[in-house]
Each structure stands twice: as C-alpha cells, then as structure tokens.
C-alpha cells in the first residue's frame, strides 16, 4: 500500500522547455514522501520541498506574486524601487526577483535575524536596514518603517507582505494546484505555520474548494504566537507573550492574508521549540533532509495531525527552507545550550551538533 502511495510523489516532473530566467524557475517543487513518519503513523506524510525554489524558500512565490501584481496594476515601472519589512526569506526572494527584473531592493528587518540571512541579502545587492525588534503596534516596527520609507520615493512600492493579499493569491494559483496534482486529488489534511498567512490561506482555500470542503486545514503555531489560542477560543485575540527560536512564523494579529481564510481553519496545534529542534535532527538523520526550525515545526505538526486523523490518510506540509541560513545556531552546541534545547536532541543524534 505504501509503495502505491509513493509512486506519484517520488518522480519530479519538469516543464518541457527551458524557463525564461529566475522568475519562471519559481514553483514546480517536489512533494517528498517522509518514509519514517509515514510508517509510524500508517499515513502518507508529505513535505512540499519549497527549499528547491531558485531563491531557496517558499517566499520566492510570494515575492514574485506581489511584484507581478504591482506591475499589472501599474504601481511600479522599470527602474523602480521595491521596499519591504521582512524577517528574512521574503527579503531574499524579493532581492532575487528585483535583480532579475532590474529593480532596486530595500529591506527593513528586525535586528534579531540570523547573520546568514543578512549577509545573503547584501550579497544579492539589497540595501539592508536592521532595526530594533519591537511590537507591530509600535510605530518603529520594521514593517511601518518600510512603509514610511517607500512613501518618500518616486516609482516605488511597499510590497506589504503581511496584508497584501497578492501573497495568498500566489499560493492559491501555484502551490495549491501543485499539491492537488501531486497527490492526485487525495489530500486529507494540510497543515503549516504562518507568519504572513499567505501560504496557509492560499493553499488552504484552493484545497478546500477542490475537495468540496473535505480537506482538513489546520494551523501550526510556535511559542510566542497567539494564533493557536485564537483558533481554540473561537476567535479571541490575546496579548502576545514569550517567544520562539523559529524565524518568520508566529503572529500577534490576524493579517489580511490570513483573514481571507481564518474562518475556514479547522483546528490548530501548538508546537514547542524542543519538538522542532528534535525534528531538525531527525529529518537529517532519517531522511537526509536538511531543514530549518520552521520547516521542522511543520513536520512535527504534520506528524501529529496524521496521528490524530488516523491511519490511511494523506497529510501535506511545507518544507519552507533549508538549514543553511540557520546552521550557525541550529548546529551550535553553545547556542543550543544557551536556549536550553541541547537536551531536546535525541542522544544518538547529538553527533550532528558539530559547531562549538
């Protein structure tokens, strides 16, 4: 039975022609059968390998989507400037797309982000502006600073990844259809964490429509985010507190992107950082897949969703990006000890924590 499960998802199909540059290479990512978790649950647990986008993450789709939308609406012209507030991967996707299209790229980001991301943005020619990490309600929040700076420029856009629903629409038009085709229309559950809400909302809406409401769509939430409690309480927002080692996910409000779908979310799971760290190492050891903490959180959530749905179901999640942008933290014994997470790694897998 499991062999039959695997056939449609192991072979990667490519377009039959060469693509026109970076932007046409975005999408068409593999859907990977996660053997160990599938066998433990009796389900087909699948990860959408978004780290195989040309810019290395799921955010390539959103970056292309928001810029294309602005072009189609005449909001930006050749030689213009793209400005965004981002915790990392959206900025990287935007920097790539801007290079491909000839736009200047300015990125405001919290100064808590990994050095690998900051360095890569600079290598891609982006004007990177780290600012103190403060709450969204604070006018000095990186999103507001990006918005205000864009207003001072001619021929410039603030792409507004959190509330610009071109983000969710990009996933509705690409990621959702790909998953539906790759599972041959047999997807019982979809789950992932959310920052902007674009992936969950766009994919969730598409799968709900195509399955006539049969596909369960759940949200996975890290510590420090209020979305788990929002879903569990039936729509009550609480004050955000605490934090997580995961980057780019978790939220203190309902963004416009998430708002397009939030009332259709079926359930939520809260995933502790210790589980995410353990799964980073398990995926490396058992599957040979090198993913970051946010991707690992999604895999934990897919595993738990599969357990709750029971044997025989197909559950899909998103492998947002690889661990290359976080390796100085995730594989550092010193950093892991400082976060109280070293002992979350199974003893037999601690050998992979090779950095001091």
């Amino acid at each position: 039975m499991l062999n039959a499960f695997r056939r449609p998802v192991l072979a990667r199909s490519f377009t039959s022609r060469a693509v026109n540059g970076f932007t046409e290479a975005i999408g068409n990512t593999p859907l990977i059968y996660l053997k160990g978790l599938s066998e433990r649950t009796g389900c087909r647990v699948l990860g959408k390998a978004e780290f195989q986008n040309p810019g290395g993450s799921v955010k390539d789709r959103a970056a292309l989507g928001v810029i294309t939308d602005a072009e189609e609406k005449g909001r930006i012209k050749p030689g213009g400037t793209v400005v965004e507030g981002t915790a990392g991967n959206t900025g990287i996707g935007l920097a790539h797309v801007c290079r491909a299209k000839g736009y200047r790229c300015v990125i405001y980001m919290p100064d808590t982000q990994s050095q690998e991301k900051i360095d890569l943005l600079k290598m891609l020619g982006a004007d990177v502006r780290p600012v103190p990490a403060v709450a969204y309600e604070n006018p000095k929040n990186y999103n507001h600073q990006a918005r205000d700076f864009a207003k001072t420029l001619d021929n410039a856009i603030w792409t507004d990844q959190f509330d610009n629903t071109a983000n969710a629409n990009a996933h509705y038009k690409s990621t959702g259809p790909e998953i539906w085709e790759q599972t041959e229309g047999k997807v019982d559950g979809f789950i992932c964490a959310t920052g902007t809400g674009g992936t969950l909302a766009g994919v969730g809406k598409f799968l709900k429509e195509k399955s006539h409401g049969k596909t369960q769509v759940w949200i996975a939430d890290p510590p420090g985010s209020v979305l788990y409690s929002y879903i569990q309480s039936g729509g009550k927002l609480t004050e955000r507190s605490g934090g997580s080692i995961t980057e780019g996910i978790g939220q203190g409000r309902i963004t416009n992107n998430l708002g397009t779908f939030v009332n259709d979310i079926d359930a939520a799971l809260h995933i502790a950082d210790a589980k995410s760290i353990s799964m980073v190492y398990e995926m490396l050891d058992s599957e040979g897949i090198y993913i970051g903490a946010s991707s690992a959180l999604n895999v934990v959530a897919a595993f738990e969703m599969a357990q709750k749905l029971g044997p025989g179901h197909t559950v899909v999640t998103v492998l947002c990006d690889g661990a290359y942008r976080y390796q100085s933290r995730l594989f550092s014994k010193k950093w892991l000890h400082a976060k109280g997470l070293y002992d979350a790694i199974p003893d037999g897998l601690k050998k992979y924590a090779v950095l001091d």
Side-chain angles (χ1 to χ4, degrees):
M1 186 175 181
L2 287 178
N3 285 335
F5 274 168
R6 287 186 230 177
R7 262 196 302 275
V9 299
L10 280 182
R12 183 174 186 185
S13 61
F14 291 91
T15 55
S16 58
R17 59 178 177 80
V19 297
N20 185 18
F22 180 93
T23 58
E24 284 195 10
I26 294 172
N28 191 36
T29 58
L31 191 61
I32 300 176
Y33 174 80
L34 302 178
K35 182 176 183 292
L37 301 183
S38 296
E39 291 179 347
R40 281 156 61 186
T41 59
C43 290
R44 181 167 60 154
V45 181
L46 308 170
K48 186 76 165 136
E50 290 298 284
F51 54 81
Q52 289 201 8
N53 278 304
S57 87
V58 65
K59 295 298 187 177
D60 287 3
R61 297 184 191 257
L64 179 60
V66 294
I67 290 179
T68 300
D69 180 71
E71 291 172 333
E72 290 173 349
K73 292 177 179 177
R75 294 177 53 228
I76 191 169
K77 298 176 176 60
T81 301
V82 172
V83 186
E84 183 55 279
T86 168
N89 279 333
T90 299
I92 292 166
L94 287 170
H96 275 291
V97 174
C98 284
R99 290 278 55 75
K101 288 177 171 284
Y103 298 125
R104 179 189 176 207
C105 183
V106 180
I107 301 296
Y108 283 80
M109 68 189 308
D111 58 10
T112 55
Q113 300 307 297
S114 67
Q115 191 61 43
E116 289 96 336
K117 283 184 179 179
I118 296 171
D119 291 343
L120 179 55
L121 281 167
K122 291 180 178 179
M123 291 172 194
L124 290 169
D127 177 354
V128 184
R129 305 185 178 192
V131 297
V134 296
Y136 183 81
E137 294 75 20
N138 190 313
K140 293 297 184 181
N141 177 273
Y142 63 101
N143 293 290
H144 304 325
Q145 292 201 51
R147 175 199 62 203
D148 295 343
F149 178 70
K151 289 178 181 178
T152 69
L153 305 175
D154 294 326
N155 190 20
I157 57 166
W158 169 49
T159 46
D160 190 14
Q161 61 165 325
F162 290 90
D163 293 315
N164 181 351
T165 56
N167 175 351
N169 193 44
H171 291 284
Y172 178 83
K173 294 191 295 186
S174 68
T175 323
E178 288 175 26
I179 290 171
W180 185 258
E181 180 181 356
Q182 289 168 318
T183 58
E184 298 183 326
K186 299 171 185 176
V187 50
D188 301 295
F190 175 76
I191 187 167
C192 70
T194 181
T196 67
T199 304
L200 184 76
V203 173
K205 180 181 178 183
F206 183 88
L207 295 179
K208 283 284 189 185
E209 289 180 359
K210 290 294 288 187
S211 69
H212 303 290
K214 294 179 181 178
T215 300
Q216 290 273 306
V217 179
W218 296 10
I219 190 169
D221 216 27
S225 176
V226 305
L227 300 179
Y228 170 79
S229 64
Y230 180 88
I231 299 299
Q232 292 294 99
S233 67
K236 295 180 181 178
L237 273 177
T238 57
E239 186 175 344
R240 191 170 187 174
S241 62
S244 170
I245 56 118
T246 57
E247 296 183 18
I249 59 171
Q251 190 54 263
R253 65 187 180 96
I254 304 301
T255 65
N256 285 356
N257 279 292
L258 186 58
T260 65
F261 186 72
V262 69
N263 292 331
D264 296 306
I265 295 172
D266 297 292
L269 295 177
H270 181 269
I271 309 297
D273 283 347
K275 290 183 178 181
S276 298
I277 284 292
S278 178
M279 189 59 75
V280 167
Y281 283 76
E282 181 178 342
M283 285 294 97
L284 177 59
D285 185 70
S286 65
E287 304 284 351
I289 300 174
Y290 190 60
I291 54 175
S294 299
S295 299
L297 182 149
N298 284 346
V299 175
V300 173
F303 175 65
E304 294 188 3
M305 184 181 194
Q307 288 179 310
K308 290 178 181 296
L309 292 181
H313 292 91
T314 295
V315 176
V316 178
T317 194
V318 177
L319 307 181
C320 319
D321 63 6
Y324 303 97
R325 293 169 185 172
Y326 320 96
Q327 63 189 23
S328 63
R329 298 181 181 187
L330 296 180
F331 296 90
S332 163
K333 291 188 283 291
K334 181 178 179 181
W335 185 85
L336 289 163
H337 277 298
K339 297 295 182 181
L341 293 169
Y342 184 74
D343 289 335
I345 306 169
D347 287 339
L349 305 185
K350 287 188 169 87
K351 62 186 177 183
Y352 296 113
V354 297
L355 303 179
D356 292 326

